[in-house]
Amino acid sequence: MPEQLLQQIVNGLMIGFMYSLVAIGLTLIWGVMNIVNFAHGDFLMIGMFTSFWLFTIFGLDPLFSIPICFLLLFILGIAIYRFIVSKVMKGPMLAQLVVTFGISIFLSNLAVYFWTPDFRLISTTFLQGTWDVGGINISVPKAIASIGSVITSICLFLFMKKTKTGKAILATEMNRESALLMGINTERINSLSFGIGAALVGVAGAFLSTYYYIYPQVGGLFGTIAFAVVALGGFGSIEGAFIAGILVGLAQTLGGFYFDPSYKYAIVFMIYLITIWIRPQGLLGW
Amino acid sequence: MGKNLWWRMGLCLFLLFTFSFSAQAQQKIIKIGAVYPLTGNIASTGLDCKRGVDLAVDIINGKYDLDLPLAKSEGLPNLGGAKLQIVYADTKGDPKNGMSEAERLIAQEEVVAMIGAYQSSVTKTASQATERLKIPYVCSDSSSPTLTERGYKYFFRVSPHDAIFAHDQLVFLKDLEKSKGKKVQTVALLYENTEFGSNAGKYLKKYAEEFGYKVVADVSYSANATDVTSEVGTLIKSKPDVLMHASYITDAILFTKTFKEMGFAPKGILTMAGYIEPGYLPAVKADGNNIIIRSTFALDLAKKKPLVAKVNELFKKKYGIDMSENAARSFMAPFVLADAINRAKTTESEAVIKALLETDIAGKQVIYPWKGIKFDPQSHQNVYAQGTLVQIQNQDYVTIWPFASAAKDVVWPFPSWKGRK
């Protein structure tokens, strides 16, 4: 069945690109600050709801709400860092561990309070339907989201390698003390990378809202997979998270198709286990 | 000093009297525990069940001109007009919370009976707690057959279970062939992998084989999935005539979208649970059309049962929306319990159990197309419970089977996705 094989590869790539985009924000925050952002999935949920409400109230197509999601989540990320996370960074390890977890519970319950636990879908964007390419069905919103994910990831990559701020983030990631000695304001870098991490997942939320249902707990599903992706790619490695996202997407659809769909997540985590057995630091971690 | 002491003692006595007096004058309250998923993945469903329960309690506690048990009297007349009070606990959809919350309700809130929990896996653990603590549990919204196969003394189920539903769906396929000449040969099974789905799948498989259909695919999956393209790919590969799907709501939405995206259109899609929840149609809109769902309730029953229209009117007045199947199922448990407690004239467990076993509610007193409510002495399953099938037509649920009580003709085969918006 080569047609179904190709179909599954295409589907795997499309969901994989989405995982990548969700995971690169998470890995950035981890790399710079060494804290696990458990609220990452909830940032995604807020991005999705932002896009949903902009569409419902102002009729703004999700594609145009991407910059707004980016900005809003950037501000939210910085605010959460400044007012909550930075205070805890000086505290004990356990406090650092639970603070983002608390933010996660707070955000998802706040969403239940304001927007009820109902499911919502944006169904009338101009990104609807499927393309039939030689017998393979390609969902238009998923394809656009995949392209968007690649472009966003390349932008982040260039930003990190070419700009001074990006290099400062990388330097902080590699060695905080030395970066501080070189005159980098690491506190500013912290809040900036928390903001960028949140903003990236906001963009992912806007793309995801074009084809996935939106509800307050939606972040949990993607958040859990994002952790596996980040660990597989190597904590802190943006390229690693990008490649690992695609790998996880492919493993999930192909593994599910060729073995048994009920084992698809087991296959994903098996690959993860084998990888960290051979390379404990992840694919591209150091 | 002495004077001061007397004064204080007097005040104490005065307070003691006033409080004991007010406690006596106060209306007697019967506390019933309800465990539902009020937050988490299927919180929208939990909220819907809660609406049904709350309306039932309104009707029992107040005076209504409806032919429902205890509707015409205020509270429970045999217990001096005692009122029901529901104490809710949130399971978050997790079986371990089902058990711990049931225990907490019994120990701390001192509830005398339990209802809920919608998800069969949660009902299973919650009823383990009530069985151990000897508290009656009346369930009208969980459908896993195993719940009434355990021989529990304190557990009763009002609604039909999935073995009945599964059997119904295959009888429907046979009827379709007999009276409409539409032949079906192969079926594919798709079900979520917890208590509810895997048991529904087991019975669908059993009956499909007994009825002589070939099962060409047997796919289980996790309801918390981000993507189900490999599942749908497997289904497409097996080329079934009919798909039978047991799902919760999130997966129902995701599968509908994926069916459309990948162009999967067998002759018929017969489903359970998720597709009939109030969150489903608003989310998928016209993409839900032509899907067939097992049901115990549909608003078009009102044509033959005026009670349904009256209850729905009250529901609409209270919540601003039509009564859904979930709300309608959860609606019945408080009546069954209140009726039993009223006849038992006490809230003491053993007496209530005895009364529950003697329950005999007439068909005209329920909002479903059943002959009534009467529990099997061994399994404690309602012997009259049966299902119907509804189909989504023009974004509305209409009864299509049994053909005798159908409101509209079934749309068969399922039209291809091409050309549908």
Side-chain angles (χ1 to χ4, degrees):
Chain A
M1 247 349 248
E3 204 174 85
Q4 266 303 320
L5 172 67
L6 273 175
Q7 174 79 67
Q8 293 300 332
I9 291 176
V10 168
N11 288 337
L13 283 174
M14 291 194 298
I15 188 78
F17 284 130
M18 214 61 227
Y19 291 161
S20 302
L21 187 54
V22 177
I24 52 175
L26 187 65
T27 206
L28 182 70
I29 293 172
W30 167 270
V32 173
M33 270 169 289
N34 267 334
I35 64 161
V36 184
N37 181 20
F38 285 108
H40 204 64
D42 302 278
F43 288 168
L44 178 79
M45 178 268 296
I46 290 180
M48 290 174 85
F49 266 110
T50 307
S51 154
F52 173 80
W53 287 118
L54 287 172
F55 175 77
T56 316
I57 300 170
F58 302 108
L60 197 63
D61 198 89
L63 271 191
F64 298 114
S65 56
I66 289 169
I68 301 174
C69 288
F70 183 89
L71 259 177
L72 190 87
L73 267 290
F74 183 71
I75 294 164
L76 181 78
I78 286 182
I80 284 181
Y81 178 76
R82 283 274 163 85
F83 295 113
I84 305 169
V85 179
S86 68
K87 310 273 184 261
V88 178
M89 290 286 278
K90 296 162 200 129
M93 185 65 201
L94 189 66
Q96 296 178 20
L97 209 63
V98 293
V99 66
T100 57
F101 198 64
I103 296 168
S104 159
I105 295 172
F106 175 74
L107 288 179
S108 68
N109 282 290
L110 200 67
V112 171
Y113 179 75
F114 281 123
W115 304 317
T116 74
D118 286 344
F119 299 91
R120 294 173 165 99
L121 268 177
I122 299 178
S123 47
T124 47
T125 68
F126 52 71
L127 291 181
Q128 285 300 300
T130 47
W131 290 320
D132 189 336
V133 184
I136 299 163
N137 293 313
I138 300 173
S139 149
V140 178
K142 283 187 185 174
I144 300 290
S146 305
I147 297 167
S149 159
V150 176
I151 294 174
T152 315
S153 306
I154 292 173
C155 287
L156 177 71
F157 193 74
L158 291 177
F159 169 77
M160 298 291 276
K161 297 280 151 135
K162 302 285 177 201
T163 66
K164 219 169 169 184
T165 322
K167 283 178 186 161
I169 293 177
L170 271 184
T172 314
E173 203 170 303
M174 284 170 185
N175 194 321
R176 176 168 295 271
E177 277 77 30
S178 310
L180 203 56
L181 286 174
M182 295 300 128
I184 294 171
N185 182 349
T186 53
E187 191 54 27
R188 200 181 133 255
I189 293 297
N190 274 353
S191 84
L192 195 64
S193 38
F194 210 91
I196 295 174
L200 287 171
V201 79
V203 173
F207 277 122
L208 206 55
S209 72
T210 58
Y211 66 89
Y212 204 80
Y213 52 81
I214 303 154
Y215 73 112
Q217 266 82 23
V218 68
L221 300 176
F222 286 90
T224 323
I225 291 178
F227 287 124
V229 170
V230 166
L232 182 62
F235 281 104
S237 162
I238 291 164
E239 303 93 307
F242 187 76
I243 294 167
I246 297 167
L247 273 180
V248 167
L250 283 173
Q252 178 186 317
T253 52
L254 288 176
F257 185 68
Y258 279 105
F259 298 100
D260 185 330
S262 51
Y263 297 134
K264 66 181 188 187
Y265 290 114
I267 292 164
V268 168
F269 285 95
M270 181 101 95
I271 291 176
Y272 165 61
L273 281 177
I274 294 171
T275 312
I276 58 160
W277 187 42
I278 301 166
R279 267 186 76 84
Q281 68 274 52
L283 287 175
L284 296 178
W286 60 77
Chain B
M1 190 70 183
K3 200 177 176 184
N4 203 349
L5 185 72
W6 282 115
W7 190 82
R8 280 189 195 185
M9 275 174 76
L11 185 71
C12 277
L13 275 174
F14 171 74
L15 284 175
L16 199 68
F17 271 114
T18 25
F19 275 105
S20 59
F21 179 72
S22 68
Q24 259 188 351
Q26 210 178 33
Q27 191 66 257
K28 208 182 151 200
I29 293 285
I30 297 170
K31 276 190 180 178
I32 291 177
V35 278
Y36 280 113
L38 301 173
T39 62
N41 242 348
I42 61 164
S44 64
T45 309
L47 184 71
D48 201 33
C49 297
K50 184 174 176 290
R51 289 188 190 121
V53 171
D54 284 342
L55 180 65
V57 171
D58 281 358
I59 294 173
I60 295 166
N61 287 346
K63 226 177 186 166
Y64 288 83
D65 186 24
L66 292 170
D67 198 2
L68 281 162
L70 301 168
K72 290 188 176 98
S73 58
E74 257 183 61
L76 277 55
N78 289 352
L79 282 93
K83 302 262 162 101
L84 286 197
Q85 187 198 341
I86 305 287
V87 186
Y88 286 98
D90 181 14
T91 65
K92 301 182 177 72
D94 188 336
K96 57 178 191 294
N97 295 336
M99 181 178 276
S100 59
E101 285 298 295
E103 282 167 351
R104 184 182 65 81
L105 286 175
I106 296 164
Q108 289 175 22
E109 299 285 342
E110 297 179 337
V111 300
V112 298
M114 192 73 68
I115 58 171
Y118 181 73
Q119 287 152 297
S120 296
S121 49
V122 184
T123 307
K124 198 172 192 175
T125 56
S127 57
Q128 278 162 8
T130 52
E131 189 72 11
R132 189 159 29 90
L133 298 165
K134 299 189 167 48
I135 292 288
Y137 191 135
V138 175
C139 173
S140 62
D141 39 31
S142 298
S143 60
S144 172
T146 53
L147 294 173
T148 40
E149 282 166 3
R150 299 173 296 179
Y152 276 15
K153 189 183 164 197
Y154 296 88
F155 185 81
F156 293 77
R157 175 161 50 197
V158 180
S159 50
H161 54 70
D162 291 322
I164 300 174
F165 284 130
H167 192 263
D168 282 349
Q169 298 204 338
L170 288 141
V171 174
F172 163 74
L173 289 182
K174 278 282 164 215
D175 276 4
L176 202 61
E177 192 183 324
K178 257 188 284 175
S179 59
K180 314 231 171 209
K182 317 246 161 128
K183 201 159 169 56
V184 171
Q185 277 164 332
T186 55
V187 297
L189 308 177
L190 176 66
Y191 47 90
E192 64 88 34
N193 61 6
T194 68
E195 175 76 21
F196 152 64
S198 50
N199 273 301
K202 192 175 86 185
Y203 281 95
L204 284 169
K205 190 171 187 181
K206 179 178 165 227
Y207 291 128
E209 280 162 358
E210 271 177 30
F211 278 67
Y213 296 106
K214 195 174 166 221
V215 178
V216 289
D218 184 350
V219 179
S220 73
Y221 63 91
S222 156
N224 287 334
T226 50
D227 176 75
V228 293
T229 49
S230 55
E231 282 85 348
V232 178
T234 309
L235 294 174
I236 291 175
K237 197 171 63 172
S238 72
K239 294 197 181 72
D241 285 342
V242 166
L243 170 72
M244 300 184 135
H245 186 192
S247 74
Y248 283 126
I249 177 157
T250 46
D251 38 333
I253 297 173
L254 193 54
F255 269 104
T256 308
K257 293 218 82 178
T258 313
F259 291 157
K260 183 180 181 183
E261 209 178 282
M262 296 175 68
F264 176 60
K267 284 180 192 165
I269 299 181
L270 271 62
T271 68
M272 294 185 174
Y275 292 85
I276 205 163
E277 292 190 19
Y280 175 73
L281 264 184
V284 302
K285 304 212 171 68
D287 290 346
N289 280 345
N290 308 310
I291 287 172
I292 296 171
I293 312 118
R294 58 101 152 124
S295 172
T296 45
F297 177 85
L299 286 171
D300 58 23
L301 286 170
K303 281 180 197 158
K304 277 153 192 146
K305 260 190 142 107
L307 178 65
V308 172
K310 283 186 202 160
V311 170
N312 187 49
E313 214 172 278
L314 289 174
F315 193 89
K316 214 166 179 175
K317 207 168 128 198
K318 189 166 165 132
Y319 305 108
I321 50 168
D322 277 325
M323 195 171 199
S324 72
E325 205 246 350
N326 283 325
R329 277 200 293 172
S330 303
F331 178 75
M332 209 61 218
F335 287 104
V336 174
L337 253 179
D339 168 67
I341 293 173
N342 189 45
R343 277 182 291 109
K345 299 190 176 76
T346 165
T347 54
E348 196 265 318
S349 281
E350 300 305 319
V352 175
I353 293 297
K354 191 165 165 285
L356 276 169
L357 281 168
E358 287 161 4
T359 295
D360 192 359
I361 296 174
K364 62 178 168 49
Q365 286 196 306
V366 299
I367 56 170
Y368 325 106
W370 307 341
K371 271 192 277 175
I373 299 171
K374 196 172 193 172
F375 295 108
D376 180 89
Q378 245 69 53
S379 68
H380 297 184
Q381 166 69 35
N382 175 14
V383 293
Y384 294 137
Q386 65 175 91
T388 61
L389 292 180
V390 296
Q391 186 172 38
I392 304 175
Q393 297 183 359
N394 292 324
Q395 300 187 45
D396 201 5
Y397 295 99
V398 294
T399 307
I400 51 128
W401 184 87
F403 291 136
S405 51
K408 277 199 180 136
D409 227 13
V410 59
V411 175
W412 192 279
F414 191 87
S416 120
W417 290 104
K418 284 223 170 71
R420 277 172 71 175
K421 268 187 194 162

